[in-house]
Amino acid sequence: MEKSMNRQPQHLAWHETLEIHELVAFQAIGLMKLKKAIGDIKDQRLRTIYQNTISALENNLQDLLQFYAIAPRADATNIMELDSGFYAGDLLALAKTSVRNYAIAVTETATPVVRETLTNHLQKAIKTHADIFQYMYDNGLYPAYDLQQLLENDMALANKAMEMDF
């Protein structure tokens, strides 16, 4: 019994791999958006905040991508076309965040009409999430049932985001 307790797995757990996937995908898209927008920022203080955020996100992605080497997967390499999924991925991130934010807000309501309004908004956010997920899945942009492909896509997206000029 003691022998099995001392065994250290040689890979990440599935659930932590999926959390890292969510962080990488969200931050890579955010990084791309910041890099596209920074040229329009005229206020030097705000531009500095953007530059610091860009640097921090690049560091975050480099740190997180190191864990992909020990993520559970089979052997294959098939990378999605990045540009076609950027806007869809951005909308997916917005939909996920909206679902989470509305779900939390509903639990903080005391006024019935506010609860009803937030619940209606939550249902719309869930519908948006379902629609954009299905679009991405149907077009090979979000291989949700293929962890290996999902991680390959993350790595390609994160690397593209880090390589973008700004």
Side-chain angles (χ1 to χ4, degrees):
M1 176 130 181
E2 186 174 319
K3 184 177 182 181
S4 66
M5 292 176 67
N6 291 331
R7 285 190 349 197
Q8 180 66 31
Q10 299 302 309
H11 59 79
L12 299 177
W14 287 89
H15 66 282
E16 66 187 338
T17 301
L18 292 173
E19 290 299 328
I20 291 170
H21 147 71
E22 293 290 341
L23 290 168
V24 168
F26 185 74
Q27 290 183 77
I29 289 171
L31 179 59
M32 294 171 98
K33 287 171 56 175
L34 291 172
K35 286 183 173 183
K36 286 183 175 194
I38 196 169
D40 296 332
I41 305 297
K42 304 302 180 218
D43 181 279
Q44 188 54 48
R45 184 173 174 202
L46 181 57
R47 187 175 179 83
T48 298
I49 294 170
Y50 263 65
Q51 290 169 330
N52 291 342
T53 304
I54 287 168
S55 179
L57 287 175
E58 288 176 337
N59 289 334
N60 290 355
L61 288 169
Q62 289 170 355
D63 288 346
L64 292 171
L65 287 176
Q66 293 178 39
F67 294 111
Y68 279 51
I70 57 171
R73 69 174 82 204
D75 291 330
T77 56
N78 187 5
I79 297 174
M80 71 178 213
E81 183 181 291
L82 297 171
D83 294 331
S84 64
F86 171 76
Y87 293 106
D90 189 35
L91 182 55
L92 182 68
L94 174 64
K96 284 183 177 191
T97 302
S98 295
V99 168
R100 290 175 179 149
N101 290 346
Y102 273 109
I104 292 167
V106 166
T107 68
E108 298 296 330
T109 60
T111 307
V113 68
V114 172
R115 184 178 305 109
E116 183 179 341
T117 299
L118 296 180
T119 301
N120 288 337
H121 289 194
L122 174 60
Q123 290 300 320
K124 291 176 189 175
I126 292 169
K127 169 90 168 75
T128 299
H129 177 270
D131 290 346
I132 193 60
F133 167 80
Q134 196 61 53
Y135 169 85
M136 292 180 75
Y137 182 75
D138 290 347
N139 288 284
L141 300 172
Y142 195 156
Y145 299 99
D146 184 342
L147 181 62
Q148 179 177 336
Q149 187 61 49
L150 191 68
L151 300 179
E152 293 290 334
N153 291 358
D154 287 350
M155 289 187 292
L157 182 64
N159 285 322
K160 179 173 179 145
M162 290 187 289
E163 293 167 2
M164 277 179 67
D165 291 328
F166 62 98

